[in-house]
Amino acid sequence: HVSMSTPETQNAKGIAVIGLTGRFPGARDVEQYWRNIAGGVESISKFSDSELAAAGHDVAELKSVPGFVPARGVMADADLFDAGFFGFSGTEAAVIDPQQRLFLEASWELLESAGYDPEAYEGLIGVYAGMGGNGYYLHYLHGRKDVTRLVGDRVVSLGNDKDFLATRVAYKLNLKGPALNINTACSTSLVTVCQACQELMSFQCDLALAGGVSINFPQKAGVYYQEGGVFSPDGHCRPFDAQAAGTVSSDGLGIVLLKRLSEAIADGDQIHAVIRGFGRNNDGSGKVGFTAPSVDGQSEAILTAQSMAGFDPATITYLEAHGTATPLGDPIEIAALTQAFRFETEAKNFCAIGSVKGNIGHTNTAAGIAGLLKTILALRNQQLPPTINYTAPNPKIDFADSPFFVNTQLTDWKPAGPRRAGVSSFGLGGTNAHVVLEEAPALEPSAPPRGEQVLVLSAKSSAALDTATANLLAHLKEHPEINLADAAYTLQVGRRHFAHRRSVVCRDVPDAIRTIEKRDPKRIATYERDLDADAPAVVFMFPGQGSQYVGMGADLYRDQPVFKEEMDRCAVILKPALDGLDLRDILYPAADKTKEAEELLIQTRITQPALFAIEYALAKLWMSWGVQPAALTGHSLGEYVAACLAGVFSLEEALALVAQRGKLIQALPRGSMMAVSMTEAELKTILPPNLSIAGVNGPMQCVVSGTTEDITAFEATLKAAGKPGRPLHTSHAFHSAMMDPVVATFAECVRRAKRSEPTIPFLSNLTGKWITPAEAIDPQYWARHLRQAVRFADGVKELLKNPNAVFLEVGPGTTLGSLTKFQANKADNRAILSSLRHAKEELPDLTAMMAALGQLWQRGIKPDWSAIHGGLKRHRVILPGHPLQRQRHWIERAAQPAPVPVPVAVIPAPAPVAAAPQPQAASTAVAPKGEIEQSLTEIWKQLLGLSEVRIDDNFFDLGGDSLLLMRLQLLVQEKFHVTLA
């Protein structure tokens, strides 16, 4: 954690709000919620007689009681849920209280928006939650005995009891901190926030979800007005107003994600606001009745919060009140607030006051979180929102002599010091809660993007992946100011990585937009990974001479410290062996020295050390990024890089050998090489004795080596036979008899070098098999390696035996990747990737690296993302999350009289339960045959809420669990009169 003494954390004591989510009447998310509040929108619905009747009400009966008001605040789509995403069957989802379903969904969205994946987070995540009464069970499930018989009492109980709200979230999202259900009536959700803060302060958890949900069913309903009661006579809530006569019942859901402030700052979290203090208590019996409020109780809770915050309440310039707009409640609340503030200040009318209930009504257990979210958004937007439905003060409230004034217009919030606010929530029964907030601290800005970024996207289906891509594109267009490196980091470390994966390589936001819109195949790749498969084994492949070019790795040398450090190290070590030449001057020359550098780089004595240095530095860069090789292979010179990384030679010994090898070859007479499209066996039948097979690179890909004259003559022979060869651009006849004069000398060089047995397996060019420890340390092995043919094709064949291997060419060009693709079965869809562009390709080095990195991630490699960002300061930012595929899951209320259960097909009678399609297990089975298979299939369909089940499907893969399995056991026993264990 960042030291508390650093400037950015001088006042880092507090609890940071690092995530927000909410759904309210007229608002599907917190952004729309704020727009409605700032715009003074009232989101209360009035219902016609036909709407009430369609909701199942007896309208005449409703209206028979005086004072009926057909108005409520309704949350949209409360019947929708993505069952499959959270591992529920359609039937189980339909049985669970929608409050619990939506709270689970919102909890997932909250963690995504904050940039945290519970599976990857190392700390403890707690859940503190409360919910309203279960009208869904009362009005819909209670009369459906057929449904209860199908799924069992236990499933119904677990899905509808308040006790399982927090624990269901913890189970489904794998959260291992405390999971507590809290209920204190109207103050519930603000009490959950206070409790979460307390638990964070005592280190019971490291992240905390806190909030509440309340959805009344049927949603389209109304209230009954009684003079002096809590409900409004006309469907309007008028906090603090002279005409205030009560509130309106409404739906709501809100959750915040909390973290200790010092850690949030250190971790680069998005901080929306800071909780500086909180207070909770109960009125006790010091009031006129159980449901009546108390000035002293409320005041003491406020004082507790202000005392913890530790600053002058005169600096609090906004107060979100409980504000139920009742003639009794509002004056008591203002009196309690005034009493609390007067302990420290006599100042008047400095603090704006408001209540969101004017906009959305009273959301019961979600009321406190509704006010908290409004206040956090006001702090974030630096605006004071209007209190609507206010014209004149309640005559029992003395605003003039209080610290408060009712703010009725959207105004810029410009206090003399930091923006600070308070939020109150008071529950029937007397449990009071108050929270003191402060605007987010000014943080150290994130480092600007450096070079190419890789955006990683994943989803549970290809359709969802396309939607996620489109959502990201829209977000980037809407927020062009976003730091692309922060966005990349958030997607990399703050998202669950699902099976369907896509990576996008781009430089900045405009480039990202262009790349996604054009679907540039060099920058975008998509793959579906089997999440049950083992992590892939990465094979590093090091190319040999012929792939070099001036400028290879130049972008990496400039932008990647690890690559630069290793290249510098190699250049310094090699300088004496290269007679004072500096590799860096040759590889990265000044513009006027390019021609000279090109002429030097074609000399074998320079080429081989240069290639070794590039490949070694590239390998070290990949390894620093968390991409560790399971195996190594090289082509000719490339095997020295493999041996060095495997520990056979130290870097110093390897560079000395490579430099000596290059010098010895350079001193030999020049020769030529030619590629021939023939099998090795065919080639041997026609090859003159004065030529050598220098390489077997594929089943029909061989290389012949010898003197220029002999190669020219053999080329004419091949051409006459209709099998022309392709001359290669080389200076010498490598791996031929022309190497014989230096073999013994080089063996002696190796003998003088210190050698160790390999710690990473690598392939031998001589045998095409895994090198043995004895071979690796034998000087004669490396002498023969200089002279004999490179059996790269045999090595690839050996590597392809591992179905889990992915291939990464670590060097310039794509030669080895192309040779590997030639042998690989296309149906296997192997990942065969390259690190650097080909000499004739125009592609930035980092683009090629990031494209390969993205595809490695797609295959299941887990990179060290922080290292990839070079240790630079990165912030988590708000980005679109996984697009949930919501569908209707609902149990219609029973007809009167209750329906007689129908064997097996019970849920659709009297009203169908709509269920989201569940993932089907892969199957080639035919349809059920015979009465028994058909009956079993029908039982499964009804129990799991599916339209199709095949006879070899897996019960748990289709969303079943142990409780549903017990019901399946009973239903099968009843149907077939058998006993199942």
Side-chain angles (χ1 to χ4, degrees), residues 2-13 261-262 265-266 276 441-445:
V2 172
S3 168
M4 295 294 286
S5 62
T6 60
E8 67 176 0
T9 56
Q10 285 177 353
N11 193 17
K13 293 182 179 179
L261 177 59
S262 60
I265 293 171
R276 294 294 190 186
L443 300 178
E444 175 189 346

Side-chain angles (χ1 to χ4, degrees), residues 23 191 209 301 352 364 379 401 450 517 788 809 831 975:
R23 304 181 194 177
V191 171
L209 293 86
N364 192 14
L379 286 165
D401 196 40
R450 190 179 69 184
E517 288 181 333
Q788 295 181 14
E809 188 158 354
K975 174 67 177 178

Side-chain angles (χ1 to χ4, degrees), residues 20 261 295 438 631 674 700 833 857 872 902:
L20 314 170
L261 177 59
V295 170
E438 187 174 76
M674 181 171 60
M700 293 285 292
L833 311 169
W857 163 79
L872 297 175
V902 179

Side-chain angles (χ1 to χ4, degrees), residues 375-391:
T375 308
I376 292 170
L377 292 166
L379 286 165
R380 198 176 76 181
N381 288 280
Q382 302 181 6
Q383 291 179 304
L384 291 171
T387 295
I388 66 170
N389 299 332
Y390 178 87
T391 54

